[in-house]
Amino acid sequence: MTKWKKAAWCLLFVVIGLIWLMPVFYLINVSVKPAAEFYTEGVFSVTLHPTLTNFAEAWRKIGTFFFNSVINVVVSVPLGILIASLGAYALARLEVRGKGFFRVLFMMGMLLPVHVTLLPNYITLQKLNLLNSRAGILLLYTVFNIPFAMYMLQGFFMGLSREIEESAIIDGAGSFQIYLHIALPMARPAIIISGLLCFIAVWNDLVFAMTFVQNNKKMPITAGLLQFVGEFTSHYEKITAGILLSALPVFILYLFFQKQIMEGMAEGAVKG
Amino acid sequence: MKRKKGSLTPYLFLALPLLLYGFFIIYPMLYSLYLSFFDWEGMSNKHQFIGLGNYVDIIKNDEIFRISLLNNLRWCLGTVLLPVTLGLLFALALNRKRSGAGFLRTAVFTPVVLSVTAVGMMWRWMYDPTTGLINNALKMFSGGKVTFNWYADTGNIIYYLIVAGSWAYTGMCMIMFAAGIKSISGSVLESAMLDGVNGRQMLFYIVLPQLRNTLNTVLVYSMAQAFKVFDLVYVMTGGGPGRKTNVLASLSYETVFSYYQYGRGSAIAWILTIVLLFISLVVNRLISMQKE
């Protein structure tokens, strides 16, 4: 009885999971089909001659965009977290007047719609001559990583036991030394979670990408993908390949760090 | 901790994040509020203070604004009906350690990490009348009799978008509920078990009532998300046809960056901000007051 029940649940879960991912499976199925076959045989048939030509062709068009997004992530995520960690440490551990006010102020950044900042930041970047430049978009991604990273790190620092820090103070270490040599290394779990979520946010961002970068050479993957699709209207065998390529880095991250990503997102949502 | 009172060091820590945050998040917000009181066409030199003129005109006369707001409300309702409900069911089913649970959890959460751009394009392909998955399936099962063209079905396009969005958002609700279920203390469950409570009673009299706080959080968060929607609309329809599938965020974007009505677009962005503040402050408070 219980054995059968268990098997039934398991079957149910697997079936629902497969149905849920069905769009993705068919997406893959289409992307490995030779173009000619796609138009004669349609979506459902499984090809006997799987090919990577669609991927090669998509890559030729979006490779640069992909590379741009890699740079965006590699620069803005560590930088944003580092800057946030300074503020988080001050608000969690040091004597600051108006702590409550600052905490709420930084948390507002997670609640507000980015749309309210777009036009003013567009004007600012224009004035600084940073529109359509790598520096401009990197700056914005770095700053917009701060609120979430700060929230995560602050929570973590507040939960740390004070004992180690206190003994360091007795040894005559200054605040900055304690932050750098004790607090920051201990915060590794929170840094990893912040890093993962900021990575996903920057990689997946579309609004900043399409607003601040109209230059083809600097365009991130999301905006680039849109352009690529515009070029290949209804050539879905190539579009599907492009979609899959664009999702690959985040998907790999998800496979390895599923637990941390879920944990971080659930925690961020509670205060969002 | 012993430390000199009034020391400057803490403020040095705070300086860089505060400076950047202030310059690229706080200042733009306030500047946008300021701009919303002006009649400013970006392309011309016209730059005239009109007080609340933009807001009055938008709320009184703008048909597209009304449609956009309605679409956001539909999105809220759709989110409660689909992702919140499904997310709760999945979380409850996956709570006990059963084989296959890990696979389902991974599957449902996968779309959450994908970019909305990718999700939107995928669903555009799914709905595509000639090469799309859904239409081909319909044709296959009906022998070519039933087909549908989502983009011609003007009145319902927004619902097709909501379905796509729900697919991508359900996993988020699922993990929020899962975290809530996990936090129900084991001793409550144990003592209930000792009292001989059966599975159904356990669910309705113990687990669900204890999940009330979590449900409130999920509802408030989901409403906020439903008002922030932008990418999916932009990617799938661009607000069209006839601007009828716009939401507040895309309308604000279109007004600023396609029509160059800077003042008016800022006012729409601020209306969206006020709605979000209202949800997070007032709705949150109302729900938690009801509890007592």
Side-chain angles (χ1 to χ4, degrees), chain B:
Chain B
M1 258 195 270
K2 267 186 282 171
R3 219 169 247 143
K4 275 176 284 173
K5 268 249 166 83
S7 152
L8 232 118
T9 332
Y11 299 96
L12 289 178
F13 274 86
L14 212 49
L16 189 56
L18 201 57
L19 196 76
L20 287 170
Y21 187 81
F23 195 67
F24 288 104
I25 296 179
I26 301 293
Y27 158 74
M29 273 185 56
L30 299 176
Y31 188 48
S32 159
L33 181 64
Y34 170 80
L35 287 179
S36 73
F37 301 130
F38 283 82
D39 182 10
W40 182 17
E41 307 268 331
M43 291 287 121
S44 71
N45 284 326
K46 194 169 149 200
H47 194 276
Q48 190 189 358
F49 182 80
I50 51 167
L52 290 173
N54 282 322
Y55 291 92
V56 172
D57 189 47
I58 289 165
I59 291 167
K60 266 191 163 165
N61 308 322
D62 193 337
E63 178 65 22
I64 302 295
F65 171 78
R66 232 167 287 160
I67 292 172
S68 305
L69 186 62
L70 194 62
N71 283 338
N72 275 124
L73 291 171
R74 286 175 177 141
W75 209 292
C76 274
L77 192 66
T79 304
V80 174
L81 288 180
L82 289 170
V84 173
T85 312
L86 283 175
L88 178 59
L89 289 179
F90 286 147
L92 286 171
L94 297 177
N95 179 35
R96 270 189 273 166
K97 283 215 166 56
R98 295 179 170 125
S99 43
F103 173 71
L104 180 56
R105 191 182 298 114
T106 307
V108 174
F109 196 74
T110 301
V112 179
V113 297
L114 301 182
S115 76
V116 180
T117 316
V119 169
M121 282 173 188
M122 215 170 114
W123 279 83
R124 224 163 61 174
W125 164 69
M126 300 257 294
Y127 290 146
D128 189 277
T130 49
T131 56
L133 182 62
I134 293 175
N135 229 336
N136 277 300
L138 283 176
K139 273 188 217 158
M140 198 166 76
F141 289 119
S142 69
K145 278 184 212 128
V146 184
T147 56
F148 98 123
N149 183 350
W150 72 295
Y151 209 68
D153 191 2
T154 329
N156 291 325
I157 297 176
I158 189 71
Y159 298 110
Y160 294 127
L161 298 188
I162 293 173
V163 168
S166 299
W167 179 72
Y169 183 66
T170 299
M172 192 66 208
C173 294
M174 177 185 73
I175 58 159
M176 283 193 272
F177 281 121
I181 292 172
K182 223 190 220 167
S183 70
I184 296 175
S185 82
S187 61
V188 174
L189 299 180
E190 247 167 61
S191 60
M193 216 107 89
L194 287 178
D195 288 344
V197 169
N198 68 29
R200 193 165 305 149
Q201 287 169 325
M202 181 88 106
L203 178 64
F204 283 104
Y205 296 109
I206 296 167
V207 176
L208 286 181
Q210 298 252 6
L211 271 184
R212 233 173 134 161
N213 277 339
T214 311
L215 182 64
N216 293 342
T217 312
V218 174
L219 284 177
V220 169
Y221 180 76
S222 300
M223 278 170 79
Q225 292 306 307
F227 271 94
K228 281 182 180 176
V229 170
F230 172 79
D231 294 15
L232 199 65
V233 173
Y234 186 84
V235 170
M236 288 185 72
T237 65
R243 306 181 73 193
K244 294 271 169 56
T245 55
N246 267 310
V247 286
L248 289 182
S250 64
L251 180 66
S252 157
Y253 196 88
E254 193 178 76
T255 309
V256 169
F257 291 101
S258 304
Y259 296 96
Y260 303 110
Q261 295 176 321
Y262 287 0
R264 194 187 182 86
S266 301
I268 296 169
W270 260 92
I271 292 174
L272 174 59
T273 307
I274 291 164
V275 171
L276 287 169
L277 285 174
F278 179 82
I279 291 171
S280 94
L281 298 177
V282 180
V283 176
N284 215 348
R285 191 63 50 82
L286 278 180
I287 291 178
S288 57
M289 249 164 51
Q290 214 181 33
K291 234 174 352 198
E292 281 148 24

Side-chain angles (χ1 to χ4, degrees), chain A residues 104-114 144 147, chain B residues 21 25 228:
Chain A
V104 173
L105 189 74
F106 279 108
M107 235 147 70
M108 251 172 33
M110 291 177 13
L111 168 80
L112 292 168
V114 285
F144 277 82
Chain B
Y21 187 81
I25 296 179
K228 281 182 180 176

Side-chain angles (χ1 to χ4, degrees), chain A residues 198-223:
Chain A
C198 290
F199 183 116
I200 294 173
V202 171
W203 189 272
N204 289 349
D205 164 75
L206 174 66
V207 185
F208 286 4
M210 68 188 214
T211 308
F212 304 117
V213 189
Q214 261 101 42
N215 176 342
N216 266 343
K217 288 198 186 102
K218 314 272 169 59
M219 203 176 260
I221 185 78
T222 44

Side-chain angles (χ1 to χ4, degrees), chain A residues 237-249:
Chain A
E237 77 286 359
K238 292 184 192 95
I239 295 175
T240 49
I243 295 173
L244 288 169
L245 281 175
S246 81
L248 200 61

